[in-house]
Tab-separated table of all heavy atoms in Angstrom:
chain	number	residue	atom	x	y	z
A	1	PHE	N	-14.228	-34.813	1.148
A	1	PHE	CA	-12.805	-34.941	1.475
A	1	PHE	C	-11.944	-34.407	0.336
A	1	PHE	O	-10.983	-33.667	0.557
A	1	PHE	CB	-12.455	-36.403	1.766
A	1	PHE	CG	-11.006	-36.599	2.108
A	1	PHE	CD1	-10.543	-36.292	3.379
A	1	PHE	CD2	-10.116	-37.067	1.163
A	1	PHE	CE1	-9.201	-36.460	3.705
A	1	PHE	CE2	-8.776	-37.237	1.473
A	1	PHE	CZ	-8.315	-36.927	2.751
A	2	LEU	N	-12.270	-34.775	-0.899
A	2	LEU	CA	-11.507	-34.298	-2.047
A	2	LEU	C	-11.584	-32.775	-2.165
A	2	LEU	O	-10.596	-32.120	-2.495
A	2	LEU	CB	-11.988	-34.971	-3.332
A	2	LEU	CG	-11.738	-36.480	-3.412
A	2	LEU	CD1	-12.415	-37.071	-4.642
A	2	LEU	CD2	-10.256	-36.794	-3.398
A	3	ARG	N	-12.747	-32.209	-1.889
A	3	ARG	CA	-12.913	-30.752	-1.912
A	3	ARG	C	-12.060	-30.094	-0.826
A	3	ARG	O	-11.437	-29.056	-1.046
A	3	ARG	CB	-14.388	-30.381	-1.757
A	3	ARG	CG	-14.668	-28.906	-1.959
A	3	ARG	CD	-16.157	-28.563	-2.021
A	3	ARG	NE	-16.968	-29.193	-1.002
A	3	ARG	CZ	-17.845	-30.173	-1.223
A	3	ARG	NH1	-18.024	-30.654	-2.439
A	3	ARG	NH2	-18.551	-30.701	-0.236
A	4	LEU	N	-11.994	-30.731	0.358
A	4	LEU	CA	-11.165	-30.218	1.444
A	4	LEU	C	-9.691	-30.181	1.022
A	4	LEU	O	-9.000	-29.170	1.221
A	4	LEU	CB	-11.335	-31.086	2.693
A	4	LEU	CG	-10.448	-30.754	3.882
A	4	LEU	CD1	-10.848	-29.403	4.467
A	4	LEU	CD2	-10.551	-31.845	4.929
A	5	ILE	N	-9.210	-31.248	0.405
A	5	ILE	CA	-7.825	-31.292	-0.070
A	5	ILE	C	-7.613	-30.239	-1.158
A	5	ILE	O	-6.611	-29.515	-1.146
A	5	ILE	CB	-7.459	-32.703	-0.596
A	5	ILE	CG1	-7.546	-33.749	0.511
A	5	ILE	CG2	-6.080	-32.696	-1.247
A	5	ILE	CD1	-6.544	-33.572	1.632
A	6	ARG	N	-8.554	-30.130	-2.098
A	6	ARG	CA	-8.441	-29.133	-3.176
A	6	ARG	C	-8.345	-27.726	-2.585
A	6	ARG	O	-7.491	-26.935	-2.985
A	6	ARG	CB	-9.639	-29.220	-4.116
A	6	ARG	CG	-9.577	-28.237	-5.287
A	6	ARG	CD	-10.795	-28.309	-6.206
A	6	ARG	NE	-11.109	-29.658	-6.645
A	6	ARG	CZ	-12.169	-30.355	-6.231
A	6	ARG	NH1	-13.024	-29.857	-5.374
A	6	ARG	NH2	-12.379	-31.569	-6.696
A	7	ASN	N	-9.202	-27.424	-1.619
A	7	ASN	CA	-9.181	-26.097	-0.997
A	7	ASN	C	-7.886	-25.859	-0.225
A	7	ASN	O	-7.351	-24.743	-0.235
A	7	ASN	CB	-10.389	-25.906	-0.087
A	7	ASN	CG	-11.675	-25.772	-0.873
A	7	ASN	OD1	-11.666	-25.426	-2.051
A	7	ASN	ND2	-12.793	-26.073	-0.242
A	8	MET	N	-7.375	-26.891	0.417
A	8	MET	CA	-6.110	-26.752	1.133
A	8	MET	C	-4.977	-26.445	0.159
A	8	MET	O	-4.135	-25.591	0.417
A	8	MET	CB	-5.801	-28.021	1.915
A	8	MET	CG	-4.540	-27.921	2.736
A	8	MET	SD	-3.738	-29.499	3.001
A	8	MET	CE	-3.233	-29.948	1.366
A	9	LEU	N	-4.979	-27.133	-0.981
A	9	LEU	CA	-3.930	-26.906	-1.973
A	9	LEU	C	-4.010	-25.509	-2.585
A	9	LEU	O	-2.996	-24.913	-2.933
A	9	LEU	CB	-4.015	-27.963	-3.085
A	9	LEU	CG	-3.675	-29.394	-2.686
A	9	LEU	CD1	-4.019	-30.348	-3.828
A	9	LEU	CD2	-2.218	-29.522	-2.293
A	10	LYS	N	-5.217	-24.974	-2.719
A	10	LYS	CA	-5.419	-23.668	-3.356
A	10	LYS	C	-5.463	-22.514	-2.359
A	10	LYS	O	-5.719	-21.374	-2.742
A	10	LYS	CB	-6.736	-23.675	-4.142
A	10	LYS	CG	-6.815	-24.717	-5.215
A	10	LYS	CD	-6.259	-24.211	-6.493
A	10	LYS	CE	-6.490	-25.246	-7.583
A	10	LYS	NZ	-5.559	-25.150	-8.648
A	11	ALA	N	-5.217	-22.794	-1.077
A	11	ALA	CA	-5.404	-21.775	-0.032
A	11	ALA	C	-4.528	-20.541	-0.210
A	11	ALA	O	-4.888	-19.465	0.229
A	11	ALA	CB	-5.155	-22.392	1.348
A	12	GLY	N	-3.389	-20.676	-0.828
A	12	GLY	CA	-2.506	-19.533	-0.993
A	12	GLY	C	-1.637	-19.329	0.242
A	12	GLY	O	-1.652	-20.121	1.173
A	13	TYR	N	-0.878	-18.234	0.219
A	13	TYR	CA	0.020	-17.947	1.330
A	13	TYR	C	0.281	-16.453	1.414
A	13	TYR	O	-0.001	-15.696	0.482
A	13	TYR	CB	1.344	-18.710	1.156
A	13	TYR	CG	2.101	-18.354	-0.105
A	13	TYR	CD1	3.140	-17.425	-0.061
A	13	TYR	CD2	1.794	-18.940	-1.328
A	13	TYR	CE1	3.841	-17.084	-1.211
A	13	TYR	CE2	2.484	-18.606	-2.468
A	13	TYR	CZ	3.509	-17.678	-2.409
A	13	TYR	OH	4.189	-17.344	-3.547
A	14	LEU	N	0.789	-16.041	2.563
A	14	LEU	CA	1.153	-14.641	2.770
A	14	LEU	C	2.661	-14.500	2.651
A	14	LEU	O	3.418	-15.281	3.220
A	14	LEU	CB	0.730	-14.165	4.160
A	14	LEU	CG	-0.755	-13.918	4.379
A	14	LEU	CD1	-1.007	-13.541	5.825
A	14	LEU	CD2	-1.261	-12.834	3.453
A	15	GLU	N	3.079	-13.484	1.904
A	15	GLU	CA	4.496	-13.153	1.802
A	15	GLU	C	4.603	-11.640	1.924
A	15	GLU	O	3.997	-10.904	1.142
A	15	GLU	CB	5.070	-13.630	0.474
A	15	GLU	CG	6.560	-13.414	0.371
A	15	GLU	CD	7.128	-14.004	-0.903
A	15	GLU	OE1	6.762	-15.134	-1.265
A	15	GLU	OE2	7.934	-13.313	-1.540
A	16	ASP	N	5.357	-11.197	2.916
A	16	ASP	CA	5.472	-9.757	3.202
A	16	ASP	C	4.091	-9.114	3.356
A	16	ASP	O	3.811	-8.064	2.789
A	16	ASP	CB	6.275	-9.051	2.102
A	16	ASP	CG	7.693	-9.543	2.011
A	16	ASP	OD1	8.265	-9.892	3.065
A	16	ASP	OD2	8.233	-9.592	0.885
A	17	LEU	N	3.215	-9.817	4.093
A	17	LEU	CA	1.845	-9.380	4.372
A	17	LEU	C	1.001	-9.197	3.114
A	17	LEU	O	0.020	-8.482	3.106
A	17	LEU	CB	1.851	-8.086	5.201
A	17	LEU	CG	2.504	-8.210	6.581
A	17	LEU	CD1	2.508	-6.866	7.273
A	17	LEU	CD2	1.813	-9.252	7.421
A	18	GLU	N	1.387	-9.869	2.036
A	18	GLU	CA	0.625	-9.814	0.796
A	18	GLU	C	0.191	-11.225	0.425
A	18	GLU	O	0.994	-12.151	0.420
A	18	GLU	CB	1.501	-9.224	-0.315
A	18	GLU	CG	0.741	-8.999	-1.601
A	18	GLU	CD	1.622	-8.319	-2.648
A	18	GLU	OE1	2.423	-7.442	-2.299
A	18	GLU	OE2	1.496	-8.709	-3.824
A	19	TYR	N	-1.107	-11.393	0.124
A	19	TYR	CA	-1.647	-12.694	-0.245
A	19	TYR	C	-1.180	-13.077	-1.649
A	19	TYR	O	-1.204	-12.270	-2.565
A	19	TYR	CB	-3.182	-12.683	-0.200
A	19	TYR	CG	-3.792	-13.956	-0.729
A	19	TYR	CD1	-3.831	-15.101	0.048
A	19	TYR	CD2	-4.308	-14.024	-2.020
A	19	TYR	CE1	-4.365	-16.283	-0.435
A	19	TYR	CE2	-4.850	-15.204	-2.516
A	19	TYR	CZ	-4.871	-16.324	-1.711
A	19	TYR	OH	-5.402	-17.488	-2.211
A	20	ARG	N	-0.770	-14.323	-1.805
A	20	ARG	CA	-0.366	-14.849	-3.113
A	20	ARG	C	-1.079	-16.175	-3.346
A	20	ARG	O	-1.186	-16.989	-2.448
A	20	ARG	CB	1.141	-15.045	-3.179
A	20	ARG	CG	1.882	-13.734	-2.992
A	20	ARG	CD	3.374	-13.948	-3.086
A	20	ARG	NE	4.056	-12.758	-2.663
A	20	ARG	CZ	4.562	-11.856	-3.496
A	20	ARG	NH1	4.446	-12.020	-4.780
A	20	ARG	NH2	5.176	-10.791	-3.034
A	21	GLU	N	-1.560	-16.361	-4.581
A	21	GLU	CA	-2.237	-17.608	-4.936
A	21	GLU	C	-1.255	-18.760	-5.009
A	21	GLU	O	-0.089	-18.560	-5.339
A	21	GLU	CB	-2.913	-17.469	-6.306
A	21	GLU	CG	-4.244	-16.812	-6.273
A	21	GLU	CD	-4.940	-16.897	-7.629
A	21	GLU	OE1	-4.530	-17.720	-8.478
A	21	GLU	OE2	-5.883	-16.145	-7.816
A	22	THR	N	-1.752	-19.946	-4.736
A	22	THR	CA	-0.959	-21.158	-4.904
A	22	THR	C	-1.429	-21.823	-6.187
A	22	THR	O	-2.571	-22.250	-6.285
A	22	THR	CB	-1.176	-22.119	-3.717
A	22	THR	OG1	-0.909	-21.425	-2.526
A	22	THR	CG2	-0.264	-23.310	-3.817
A	23	LEU	N	-0.543	-21.895	-7.172
A	23	LEU	CA	-0.912	-22.475	-8.459
A	23	LEU	C	-0.482	-23.938	-8.578
A	23	LEU	O	-1.002	-24.680	-9.395
A	23	LEU	CB	-0.289	-21.663	-9.591
A	23	LEU	CG	-0.658	-20.178	-9.583
A	23	LEU	CD1	0.111	-19.432	-10.648
A	23	LEU	CD2	-2.156	-20.002	-9.762
A	24	GLY	N	0.457	-24.344	-7.761
A	24	GLY	CA	0.935	-25.720	-7.798
A	24	GLY	C	1.675	-26.029	-6.513
A	24	GLY	O	2.004	-25.138	-5.733
A	25	GLY	N	1.932	-27.278	-6.293
A	25	GLY	CA	2.682	-27.693	-5.124
A	25	GLY	C	1.819	-27.893	-3.894
A	25	GLY	O	0.631	-27.608	-3.883
A	26	CYS	N	2.453	-28.416	-2.861
A	26	CYS	CA	1.824	-28.612	-1.551
A	26	CYS	C	2.388	-27.565	-0.607
A	26	CYS	O	3.558	-27.232	-0.696
A	26	CYS	CB	2.169	-29.987	-0.980
A	26	CYS	SG	1.216	-31.324	-1.637
A	27	PRO	N	1.574	-27.100	0.322
A	27	PRO	CA	2.099	-26.120	1.274
A	27	PRO	C	3.221	-26.726	2.115
A	27	PRO	O	3.029	-27.751	2.750
A	27	PRO	CB	0.903	-25.768	2.145
A	27	PRO	CG	-0.261	-26.514	1.625
A	27	PRO	CD	0.190	-27.430	0.557
A	28	GLN	N	4.389	-26.103	2.071
A	28	GLN	CA	5.492	-26.607	2.884
A	28	GLN	C	5.179	-26.333	4.343
A	28	GLN	O	4.730	-25.256	4.701
A	28	GLN	CB	6.798	-25.951	2.465
A	28	GLN	CG	7.214	-26.408	1.099
A	28	GLN	CD	8.643	-26.042	0.785
A	28	GLN	OE1	9.394	-25.659	1.642
A	28	GLN	NE2	9.000	-26.180	-0.482
A	29	GLY	N	5.377	-27.324	5.158
A	29	GLY	CA	5.044	-27.204	6.567
A	29	GLY	C	3.623	-27.656	6.866
A	29	GLY	O	3.229	-27.759	8.010
A	30	GLY	N	2.833	-27.923	5.831
A	30	GLY	CA	1.483	-28.427	6.028
A	30	GLY	C	1.528	-29.848	6.554
A	30	GLY	O	2.400	-30.633	6.167
A	31	VAL	N	0.581	-30.192	7.416
A	31	VAL	CA	0.624	-31.511	8.051
A	31	VAL	C	0.374	-32.655	7.066
A	31	VAL	O	0.840	-33.761	7.279
A	31	VAL	CB	-0.364	-31.606	9.241
A	31	VAL	CG1	0.063	-30.697	10.365
A	31	VAL	CG2	-1.776	-31.308	8.803
A	32	VAL	N	-0.348	-32.397	5.978
A	32	VAL	CA	-0.607	-33.470	5.019
A	32	VAL	C	0.334	-33.441	3.823
A	32	VAL	O	0.299	-34.345	2.990
A	32	VAL	CB	-2.074	-33.464	4.524
A	32	VAL	CG1	-3.031	-33.717	5.660
A	32	VAL	CG2	-2.408	-32.200	3.794
A	33	SER	N	1.178	-32.437	3.721
A	33	SER	CA	2.071	-32.320	2.565
A	33	SER	C	2.966	-33.531	2.374
A	33	SER	O	3.104	-34.018	1.246
A	33	SER	CB	2.901	-31.048	2.663
A	33	SER	OG	2.055	-29.921	2.583
A	34	PRO	N	3.594	-34.074	3.428
A	34	PRO	CA	4.445	-35.259	3.207
A	34	PRO	C	3.664	-36.457	2.663
A	34	PRO	O	4.143	-37.145	1.763
A	34	PRO	CB	5.022	-35.554	4.592
A	34	PRO	CG	4.960	-34.260	5.323
A	34	PRO	CD	3.730	-33.579	4.805
A	35	ILE	N	2.474	-36.705	3.171
A	35	ILE	CA	1.713	-37.862	2.690
A	35	ILE	C	1.224	-37.632	1.262
A	35	ILE	O	1.254	-38.537	0.436
A	35	ILE	CB	0.545	-38.241	3.642
A	35	ILE	CG1	-0.074	-39.591	3.249
A	35	ILE	CG2	-0.539	-37.206	3.644
A	35	ILE	CD1	0.739	-40.763	3.596
A	36	LEU	N	0.798	-36.401	0.943
A	36	LEU	CA	0.365	-36.116	-0.425
A	36	LEU	C	1.536	-36.261	-1.400
A	36	LEU	O	1.379	-36.798	-2.492
A	36	LEU	CB	-0.250	-34.718	-0.516
A	36	LEU	CG	-1.572	-34.526	0.218
A	36	LEU	CD1	-2.030	-33.076	0.125
A	36	LEU	CD2	-2.642	-35.464	-0.309
A	37	SER	N	2.700	-35.811	-0.992
A	37	SER	CA	3.890	-35.957	-1.837
A	37	SER	C	4.223	-37.422	-2.043
A	37	SER	O	4.572	-37.836	-3.157
A	37	SER	CB	5.084	-35.249	-1.205
A	37	SER	OG	4.837	-33.877	-1.107
A	38	ASN	N	4.125	-38.219	-1.000
A	38	ASN	CA	4.412	-39.651	-1.122
A	38	ASN	C	3.406	-40.359	-2.016
A	38	ASN	O	3.767	-41.261	-2.775
A	38	ASN	CB	4.470	-40.309	0.254
A	38	ASN	CG	5.800	-40.084	0.925
A	38	ASN	OD1	6.830	-40.086	0.270
A	38	ASN	ND2	5.780	-39.885	2.227
A	39	ILE	N	2.146	-39.962	-1.958
A	39	ILE	CA	1.126	-40.537	-2.839
A	39	ILE	C	1.471	-40.225	-4.297
A	39	ILE	O	1.412	-41.082	-5.172
A	39	ILE	CB	-0.280	-40.023	-2.452
A	39	ILE	CG1	-0.701	-40.612	-1.111
A	39	ILE	CG2	-1.299	-40.324	-3.551
A	39	ILE	CD1	-1.933	-39.977	-0.503
A	40	TYR	N	1.835	-38.983	-4.551
A	40	TYR	CA	2.210	-38.529	-5.895
A	40	TYR	C	3.439	-39.294	-6.390
A	40	TYR	O	3.460	-39.808	-7.512
A	40	TYR	CB	2.498	-37.032	-5.819
A	40	TYR	CG	2.488	-36.273	-7.117
A	40	TYR	CD1	1.336	-35.620	-7.542
A	40	TYR	CD2	3.631	-36.142	-7.892
A	40	TYR	CE1	1.325	-34.871	-8.703
A	40	TYR	CE2	3.629	-35.403	-9.060
A	40	TYR	CZ	2.473	-34.771	-9.462
A	40	TYR	OH	2.456	-34.031	-10.612
A	41	LEU	N	4.467	-39.365	-5.547
A	41	LEU	CA	5.701	-40.047	-5.930
A	41	LEU	C	5.484	-41.552	-6.131
A	41	LEU	O	6.113	-42.170	-7.001
A	41	LEU	CB	6.797	-39.807	-4.897
A	41	LEU	CG	7.324	-38.372	-4.845
A	41	LEU	CD1	8.255	-38.198	-3.657
A	41	LEU	CD2	8.004	-37.987	-6.137
A	42	HIS	N	4.576	-42.137	-5.343
A	42	HIS	CA	4.262	-43.555	-5.511
A	42	HIS	C	3.686	-43.802	-6.903
A	42	HIS	O	4.024	-44.789	-7.568
A	42	HIS	CB	3.279	-44.010	-4.433
A	42	HIS	CG	2.851	-45.428	-4.589
A	42	HIS	ND1	3.686	-46.488	-4.335
A	42	HIS	CD2	1.676	-45.959	-5.003
A	42	HIS	CE1	3.039	-47.615	-4.580
A	42	HIS	NE2	1.825	-47.324	-4.992
């Protein structure tokens, strides 16, 4: 489970059809992003 979350956080994103690494943060619009943010803020 922890590996799944780690991979989700590091998945990266496409911008103008170019792949970019994700170095920090939660993917905006991701289904688990609000809960992960709340865990962090807690």
Side-chain angles (χ1 to χ4, degrees):
F1 180 79
L2 294 173
R3 188 171 45 251
L4 175 68
I5 297 295
R6 182 181 309 109
N7 289 338
M8 183 208 66
L9 292 171
K10 301 272 186 205
Y13 60 97
L14 286 176
E15 185 175 316
D16 297 326
L17 298 177
E18 186 176 322
Y19 173 78
R20 299 181 191 260
E21 277 189 17
T22 306
L23 303 174
C26 280
Q28 291 193 13
V31 293
V32 297
S33 295
I35 190 74
L36 293 176
S37 297
N38 279 323
I39 290 169
Y40 198 95
L41 291 172
H42 177 72

